[in-house]
Amino acid sequence: MLRLATLAPGSPIPVVSYARISADLKKDEHGVRDQHRMNHETAKRQGWTVVHEFTDNDKSASKVNVVRDDFEAMVSALRAGQLADGTPVRGVVVVADDRLARRPGDYERFVEAFTLHEGFVFADYRQVKNLYSEDVESMGLYSVVGARIEARKIARRMRDSHRNRASEGRPVGGHRPFGWQADRRTLAPVESRIIQEAAREFIGGRSLNSIVGQWRKLGVRTPRGNEWSVQTLRVMFTSPRLCGWRLFHGEIMRDADGEPIIGEWTPILTQQEWHAVQAIINSRRGRRVGVDGVPLGPLPLPGDAREVHYLLTGFLRCGRPTEDGGICGKSLRVTTPKNSATHRYACQAKGSGGCGGISRRGDLVDFFISELVLNRMAKKAAFNAPRESVEWAGRDELKDAMEQLAMLREQWHARNISNQSYFHDLPILEKKINGLRSEKAKHDAAVKRQEVAAAVDVDDIRRRWYLPEEEGGLPLSQKRAHIRADLITVIIHSAGPGRRAFDPNLLEPVWREE
């Protein structure tokens, strides 16, 4: 046992104050401040002095995966009989035992450290307790166990309450969701319109980075007053609340017929719009996205995907002839020569795998390829009449599968079939239904993308193509989406030796098949 330093005669007993609150909803620490104030009052009544405050704010004591740093530091201080700076510690003051621990293991570790030395003091707001007494220790342990049981009961009641609210389509409490007013039901006109425009532009090819950048310029803030980020926008876009559906524990709530439960709030997006947004986000989830917007493979995404700054990055290939009769074929990179007013597209150096023999003025290449794409879009718009929405072919199959599932459950509840038969057939039907629902979501997304494409106003796109974004011009990501829809790549052929005038005939576009 460690030998503790002797306190000066007549000096007050040095104790530490411990405060904890599970949920600091206002994020202002008022709960733990109040507890420390009460602990100081308790210490003063007993003639003790508080030498340090240990605080675990917004941390649960009942959850296994939550580490309470200051609780652990306090236990270490009790074992040592002093703080890290050498200040003596001879006791602990808390408001109540359940602030200290809600799991028996934590309480036992605390008492073990507390009773390692003789003469320590302990008090809650009501009374002084002798933790060296087995009866008091047992009562404290019973209190913690009782608090743990009560916490579980409260959590169970909360889950049941949330489940019932979800099954009825009622909104939950918490912070106001962006797009709705404080009642969580009525649309906030400006915010909901911003979401609608952003979702439709995202479906049309605009990137999350571009949308976030515009919102920041406009001063659009989250309901908590923070700036938007790509992550917060992605989370909002993936919420089924946008199309009126109710989410519970990460899954869409469904009624007895398997249909999504409609919430008691006005939706911002249609179901097809929401499915279209999800299709785009899911295609990129867990993958690294190339500069052409196509997922490159199951590689981790960087913290914030890089937004390209030039129109044709990733589209251009070197067409310089090789000795074997082919072409270099390497992707051109952007360079910004010193004292140059424009960027250039150039083949990589030989040391990087290219030939280093092709370089073109970026502004001229951008202009001529833009004109080719805009002219092609105009021709397609002239000949392509808007398509009628095609009904999903699997509607009847999904309906039959849902009826089979309902009948299976009915037979099982009536004890007409055995557990073995029921649990053998159940996962087969559930897998079939989930697959059909996924197909329906993809169909709805495709229909919405067709609607967006059919609604494209080529004249308006041409008008906005060359305007700065702050003057209503198209964001770069949307321009690239239009290019990507028609163009696979552009081969830049060699102009021969020496400096020569720009020749658009050396640009060979490779179009997508219609």
Side-chain angles (χ1 to χ4, degrees):
M1 182 183 297
L2 293 173
R3 185 180 181 89
L4 301 183
T6 304
L7 300 179
S11 62
I13 297 176
V15 297
V16 295
S17 168
Y18 180 76
R20 181 192 65 81
I21 191 169
S22 298
D24 183 6
L25 299 180
K26 294 184 177 180
K27 305 299 180 185
D28 59 2
E29 300 187 353
H30 71 279
V32 289
R33 285 202 307 270
D34 289 345
Q35 290 181 37
H36 281 307
R37 176 182 53 77
M38 295 170 69
N39 289 343
H40 277 268
E41 292 175 1
T42 300
K44 186 177 181 180
R45 285 198 305 270
Q46 303 301 328
W48 307 337
T49 182
V50 174
V51 295
H52 188 75
E53 294 179 351
F54 288 105
T55 307
D56 284 313
N57 187 50
D58 207 20
K59 289 187 177 181
S60 170
S62 59
K63 295 180 180 178
V64 178
N65 60 341
V66 175
V67 177
R68 293 184 290 152
D69 296 322
D70 267 27
F71 175 80
E72 300 299 334
M74 179 179 64
V75 170
S76 297
L78 290 174
R79 288 184 180 278
Q82 61 183 20
L83 300 174
D85 62 2
T87 302
V89 172
R90 298 294 186 270
V92 178
V93 182
V94 295
V95 171
D97 286 348
D98 66 350
R99 298 300 87 197
L100 186 66
R102 285 214 167 190
R103 294 164 54 214
D106 287 344
Y107 186 76
E108 289 173 342
R109 287 196 300 118
F110 168 78
V111 172
E112 180 186 3
F114 185 95
T115 58
L116 184 63
H117 307 285
E118 296 293 334
F120 278 33
V121 295
F122 177 84
D124 61 21
Y125 193 65
R126 294 182 178 179
Q127 59 187 333
V128 175
K129 296 181 179 179
N130 179 14
L131 295 189
Y132 296 94
S133 166
E134 292 182 359
D135 292 339
V136 173
E137 181 183 351
S138 298
M139 288 300 296
L141 190 57
Y142 293 150
S143 174
V144 169
V145 172
R148 177 66 173 157
I149 294 173
E150 184 61 25
R152 287 178 176 174
K153 288 181 179 179
I154 293 173
R156 186 162 51 248
R157 288 196 295 268
M158 290 291 289
R159 286 196 299 270
D160 291 343
S161 174
H162 287 165
R163 185 180 292 105
N164 291 335
R165 291 174 69 89
S167 64
E168 296 171 2
R170 287 184 289 161
V172 296
H175 290 279
R176 176 184 71 84
F178 187 76
W180 285 270
Q181 297 182 21
D183 63 2
R184 307 175 67 84
R185 290 174 169 83
T186 310
L187 292 183
V190 175
E191 292 180 354
S192 59
R193 185 172 64 253
I194 288 174
I195 293 174
Q196 290 169 344
E197 292 174 355
R200 288 159 191 168
E201 289 179 347
F202 182 64
I203 296 169
R206 190 172 189 181
S207 69
L208 295 177
N209 269 306
S210 177
I211 294 171
V212 167
Q214 182 190 32
W215 284 12
R216 287 182 174 180
K217 289 179 183 177
L218 295 174
V220 179
R221 296 273 179 163
T222 69
R224 297 189 184 189
N226 300 322
E227 279 194 335
W228 284 89
S229 66
V230 171
Q231 177 63 23
T232 52
L233 180 59
R234 185 186 293 114
V235 169
M236 185 194 71
F237 268 168
T238 55
S239 171
R241 180 180 232 278
L242 291 175
C243 68
W245 290 348
R246 184 68 163 82
L247 197 67
F248 183 70
H249 285 185
E251 294 185 2
I252 296 173
M253 287 293 292
R254 298 181 181 274
D255 58 21
D257 297 324
E259 295 298 322
I261 291 175
I262 305 300
E264 296 178 348
W265 57 84
T266 305
I268 294 176
L269 303 180
T270 66
Q271 294 174 14
Q272 286 185 341
E273 287 173 332
W274 185 75
H275 277 311
V277 170
Q278 303 321 296
I280 297 171
I281 291 176
N282 290 336
S283 69
R284 301 174 180 179
R285 180 166 289 158
R287 295 171 180 266
R288 184 163 56 89
V289 182
V291 291
D292 59 351
V294 178
L296 299 178
L299 301 174
L301 275 168
D304 190 7
R306 180 176 63 89
E307 184 85 353
V308 298
H309 299 290
Y310 298 95
L311 184 66
L312 297 176
T313 299
F315 286 103
L316 307 181
R317 295 281 174 175
C318 177
R320 188 184 187 190
T322 57
E323 293 180 356
D324 60 3
I327 62 172
C328 171
K330 200 69 178 177
S331 180
L332 301 193
R333 290 184 174 178
V334 175
T335 63
T336 52
K338 191 174 181 180
N339 300 325
S340 176
T342 182
H343 61 286
R344 297 186 72 86
Y345 294 113
C347 187
Q348 301 173 42
K350 292 182 179 180
S352 300
C355 69
I358 291 289
S359 179
R360 292 289 186 277
R361 273 185 55 176
D363 57 339
L364 296 179
V365 176
D366 289 348
F367 174 76
F368 279 100
I369 295 303
S370 293
E371 287 299 306
L372 288 175
V373 170
L374 289 169
N375 289 336
R376 186 178 173 88
M377 290 174 62
K379 290 179 181 178
K380 287 169 63 177
F383 289 99
N384 293 343
R387 302 178 185 177
E388 293 184 3
S389 296
V390 179
E391 189 174 291
W392 178 52
R395 186 187 65 171
D396 292 338
E397 186 178 1
L398 177 59
K399 182 180 178 182
D400 290 343
M402 293 297 300
E403 290 175 353
Q404 289 177 40
L405 180 60
M407 188 179 301
L408 179 68
R409 286 173 173 163
E410 183 178 339
Q411 291 294 315
W412 182 62
H413 285 302
R415 300 182 181 275
N416 293 330
I417 59 174
S418 66
N419 287 343
Q420 181 180 2
S421 297
Y422 175 72
F423 288 107
H424 175 271
D425 294 342
L426 180 64
I428 298 174
L429 276 174
E430 288 179 333
K431 182 178 179 181
K432 181 178 181 180
I433 290 170
N434 290 336
L436 289 169
R437 283 174 176 164
S438 178
E439 289 179 14
K440 183 179 184 302
K442 292 177 181 178
H443 171 269
D444 289 346
V447 168
K448 189 59 195 178
R449 287 196 296 270
Q450 287 178 2
E451 290 178 0
V452 170
V456 167
D457 184 342
V458 180
D459 291 335
D460 182 61
I461 289 176
R462 176 178 284 278
R463 180 185 64 81
R464 298 173 60 198
W465 193 276
Y466 298 109
L467 287 175
E469 190 172 341
E470 56 270 17
E471 296 179 15
L474 284 181
L476 180 64
S477 57
Q478 277 190 280
K479 294 180 189 177
R480 288 173 56 82
H482 287 303
I483 293 173
R484 192 181 308 121
D486 280 324
L487 194 63
I488 298 175
T489 192
V490 178
I491 302 173
I492 310 293
H493 290 284
S494 175
R499 297 177 62 88
R500 303 198 178 194
F502 180 80
D503 184 359
N505 293 316
L506 297 176
L507 309 182
E508 180 187 347
V510 180
W511 301 105
R512 296 190 185 277
E513 295 183 3
E514 298 183 17

